[in-house]
């Protein structure tokens, strides 16, 4: 059953956010277009130079500054259900001063983590004595714990990106460039039901040794492993992210050897997921397999990141993060092994922590796919 | 002849930016992943929670903070040609403190206009006495004046989005939803050579009266005008943006009447473009035609925005902007008429100011297209 925006962005959330804001000692949150704004209100506002800003005071009535031009869009969005006032401003108004005047005296405000400097500096100007901190302090605690509706939306995203990975063998062949393959994949990501293409990494041969290589005009050669790390965002806001490795013909022997190590490492980390274990212990589960096989220095990044309405959000699966897992945490498990100048590999699934373990939301084969 | 990244992101630009920074009385620019960073360095860095930041001091050596994970991507980017130092940091380092230490005492820094609060607040912490202003103060003067290479890139973007508009009649028909049509258009935007789909507005019937309506599940009906406003970004960073109006069958008489007013208004504004005239006079040229026809209150937004590596950038074609046009200014001319509850229309071309007038970069028919 598809989840609705009412499941994902419930009206009750605003009160929960106000309570958490008060508890954190903040007077208000200022949420410009960003995942923070969408999470709280359901409104996916365009990030534009004209100010849109949801103002959530710790107590009292929330309101949203909206350029008059965007008023119909705001009114048509799920934010309209929240019963808050839309304060429309005209092209010659100063929306920052209007917001500050309505807000009154505030000692400490939380800014959307992704608020642009063009807004944060203007808010500093119109609220000169006010301390600015990140709204993430308040929102991370809520966003990290996914509701059953949110988990279902992530499952849907997982199915969509799995469908794309199943098509990749049709696109990949020697003689094509990474960019050509990437364009086909991008179209398939949209056709599979995503609203946006967030990233398309097609990293062939030596490019596979750079974890965040994206696309280049490099021509893919026979015998080369190709790392394909792709994701997008569904219409409902939830994101997909999955990595698989393909090989155009038979892989080099050295590669085949460490790929099996990687597969065991990724399995070990997935098997370690359950409520109560620390985030860093899941990183350690993958890392120890890779270290024991002698590739420890080739695994140069953390094991994973949280995912929801952002591709990267809390919790991070990294050494030093002692946060205990809870049911509803959703995150990637994506160890990698990288041999600079030669090739590399990474296997990535999204998992959700359940009452008794971890549920993988990506389910295409994790074996090396020979194309 | 396709433009190369050397044309678009010349090595000489860094010195010009340093000079402008000094002239503006700033000690340094701090450029996190954003159009500002791309403009100065050619590096299209992923906007991630891990800090990437190009530090451009008014005098002395620039350097770039780069997460070790992103180092190969930075090294493979056009930024590598600039001869600056990449300061790679590891997962357990504090890159903000490292940057502050290298920067030394600075009184005033310019932040990328789109720097996220998660970075600007950290820079405030590690540079406590330093005033933060927008880097846009310095960069707008450079970014607004397009080089011949940049103009050629915008022409290429114009041709690409024109090719999509020519396909729209195949996608649009009564009985389909805006979202279904929008998905076809998004795929066509990629297939036409864009790297990303930036926005797809398919506003049917009454939705056409909301200038920034995007997509909905509304089923398009016979006899309805549909506003299609679409754009994307080419691989080289330059953006397209064009709006045309289609009608599924014969339009309502009232609509046909004001559509002709709009067409004359858009032509008048395009004809007004030449060096030396103010930006606001181009707005006035469109607005006076619409006002004279009695629709003045139905034209509820400015006439246009600059375009380059951002869809919206300086110069804005709006009342109050007395900036005189110069050859190389690139911007949209997009008046609209909106009848709330009924329908609306907008016609948009990108223009470049030349030595003796304005060159339209979008060239599909501006007549109402009956599908």
């Amino acid at each position: 059953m598809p989840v609705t925006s009412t499941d994902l962005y419930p009206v009750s959330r605003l009160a929960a956010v106000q309570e958490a804001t008060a508890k954190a000692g903040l007077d208000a949150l200022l949420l410009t277009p960003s995942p923070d704004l969408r999470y709280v209100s359901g409104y996916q506002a365009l990030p534009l130079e004209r100010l849109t800003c949801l103002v959530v005071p710790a107590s009292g009535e929330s309101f949203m500054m909206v350029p008059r031009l965007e008023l119909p869009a705001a009114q048509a969005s799920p934010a309209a259900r929240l019963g808050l006032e839309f304060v429309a401003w005209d092209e010659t108004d100063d929306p920052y001063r209007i917001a500050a005047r309505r807000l009154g005296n505030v000692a400490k405000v939380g800014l959307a983590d992704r608020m642009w400097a063009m807004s944060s500096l203007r808010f500093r100007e119109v609220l000169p004595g006010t301390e600015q901190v990140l709204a993430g302090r308040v929102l991370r605690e809520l966003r990290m714990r996914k509701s059953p509706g949110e988990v279902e939306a992530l499952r849907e995203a997982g199915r969509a990106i799995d469908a794309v990975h199943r098509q990749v063998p049709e696109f990949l062949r020697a003689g094509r460039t990474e960019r050509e393959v990437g364009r086909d994949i991008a179209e398939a990501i949209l056709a599979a039901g995503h609203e946006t293409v967030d990233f398309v990494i097609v990293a062939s041969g030596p490019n596979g040794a750079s974890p965040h290589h994206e696309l280049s005009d490099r021509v893919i050669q026979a015998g080369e492993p190709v790392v394909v790390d792709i994701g997008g965002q569904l219409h409902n806001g939830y994101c997909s992210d999955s990595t698989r490795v393909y090989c155009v013909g038979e892989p080099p022997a050295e590669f085949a050897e460490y790929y099996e190590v990687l597969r065991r490492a990724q399995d070990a980390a997935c098997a370690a997921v359950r409520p109560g274990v620390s985030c860093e212990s899941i990183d350690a589960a993958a890392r120890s397999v890779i270290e024991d096989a002698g590739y420890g220095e080739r695994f140069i990044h953390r094991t994973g990141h949280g995912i929801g309405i952002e591709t990267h959000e809390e919790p991070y699966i990294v050494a030093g993060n002692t946060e205990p897992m809870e049911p509803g945490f959703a995150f990637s498990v994506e160890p990698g092994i990288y041999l600079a100048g030669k090739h590399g590999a990474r296997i990535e699934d999204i998992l959700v922590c359940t009452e008794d373990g971890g549920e993988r939301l990506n389910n295409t084969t994790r074996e090396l796919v020979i194309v």
Side-chain angles (χ1 to χ4, degrees), chain A:
Chain A
M1 206 178 71
V3 285
T4 68
S5 74
T6 311
D7 297 326
L8 297 173
Y9 306 101
V11 171
S12 60
R13 187 171 284 158
L14 186 60
V17 169
Q18 285 196 286
E19 195 184 324
T21 302
K23 206 170 142 196
L26 271 60
D27 296 304
L29 302 185
L30 304 178
L31 306 180
T32 45
S34 62
D36 289 332
L37 172 62
R38 188 169 192 180
Y39 182 77
V40 176
S41 72
Y43 181 31
Q44 185 192 15
L46 295 171
L48 295 171
E49 68 287 0
R50 295 186 184 96
L51 180 73
T52 290
C53 186
L54 173 62
V55 179
V56 184
S59 65
E61 297 297 318
S62 298
F63 61 94
M64 196 187 290
M65 300 301 305
V66 184
R68 189 165 305 281
L69 198 59
E70 308 297 331
L71 188 58
Q75 286 168 332
S77 84
R81 302 162 311 151
L82 300 179
L84 47 80
E85 186 182 353
F86 292 121
V87 182
W89 59 271
D90 292 300
E91 301 273 66
T92 50
D93 291 334
D94 180 344
Y96 295 92
R97 291 207 183 277
I98 297 171
R101 210 158 39 225
R102 293 181 67 110
L103 198 50
N105 273 333
V106 283
K108 199 173 184 176
V109 294
L111 310 182
D113 289 17
R114 291 196 187 183
M115 183 184 284
W116 290 350
M118 67 170 77
S119 291
S120 63
L121 295 183
R122 288 286 286 123
F123 274 122
R124 177 171 306 276
E125 209 177 299
V126 298
L127 295 167
T130 304
E131 185 186 355
Q132 295 183 339
V133 299
L134 293 180
R137 285 194 195 179
V138 173
L139 296 177
R140 75 182 287 280
E141 299 299 321
L142 297 165
R143 287 181 52 182
M144 204 157 57
R145 296 171 173 85
K146 267 72 180 177
S147 69
E150 289 182 278
V151 171
E152 186 50 39
L154 287 167
R155 277 193 198 104
E156 188 184 334
R159 286 191 295 268
I161 206 69
D162 282 1
V164 179
H165 267 301
R166 287 194 188 94
Q167 287 174 267
V168 168
E170 301 165 32
F171 306 142
L172 256 186
R173 56 178 181 273
R176 299 195 80 194
T177 67
E178 292 174 355
R179 200 177 308 284
E180 287 165 349
V181 174
R183 189 161 292 163
D184 289 342
I185 291 175
E187 292 182 24
I189 289 174
L190 295 178
H194 296 87
E195 187 170 63
T196 61
V197 178
D198 287 350
F199 51 92
V200 177
I201 296 176
V202 178
S204 63
N207 289 341
S210 171
H212 278 171
H213 173 83
E214 293 194 86
L215 296 172
S216 78
D217 293 317
R218 185 177 187 280
V219 176
I220 299 165
Q221 310 292 326
E224 284 185 346
V226 183
V227 179
V228 176
D229 184 351
I230 53 180
Q233 191 171 31
L234 300 183
H235 169 56
N236 62 30
Y238 284 77
C239 296
S240 67
D241 186 1
S242 178
T243 309
R244 292 293 184 262
V245 188
Y246 302 82
C247 197
V248 182
E250 286 305 310
E254 180 186 36
F255 178 86
E257 183 187 311
Y258 73 75
Y259 186 83
E260 279 311 302
V261 172
L262 183 65
R263 214 152 73 89
R264 284 191 289 115
Q266 206 262 355
D267 276 341
C270 291
V273 174
R274 61 182 176 279
V277 305
S278 67
C279 289
E280 67 176 356
S281 72
I282 295 162
D283 178 87
R287 204 165 298 276
S288 65
V289 173
I290 293 174
E291 281 172 355
D292 289 352
Y295 292 99
E297 288 182 10
R298 311 301 196 156
F299 177 19
I300 55 179
H301 55 72
R302 64 192 176 203
T303 291
H305 53 80
I307 189 167
I309 55 172
E310 280 182 276
T311 308
H312 287 192
E313 57 179 52
E314 306 268 3
Y316 292 97
I317 310 302
V318 60
N321 186 359
T322 57
E323 181 99 36
M325 280 276 148
E326 292 181 31
F329 279 23
F331 50 88
S332 70
V333 171
E334 50 174 315
I337 295 177
Y338 307 97
L339 267 60
K342 291 185 173 175
H343 34 58
R346 182 169 61 261
I347 303 172
E348 175 184 25
D349 293 316
I350 302 303
L351 277 84
V352 173
C353 182
T354 64
E355 291 296 337
D356 52 6
E359 176 189 344
R360 275 167 147 147
L361 307 189
N362 298 104
N363 293 293
T364 59
T365 180
R366 286 166 210 95
E367 299 202 26
L368 183 67
V369 177
I370 310 289
V371 298

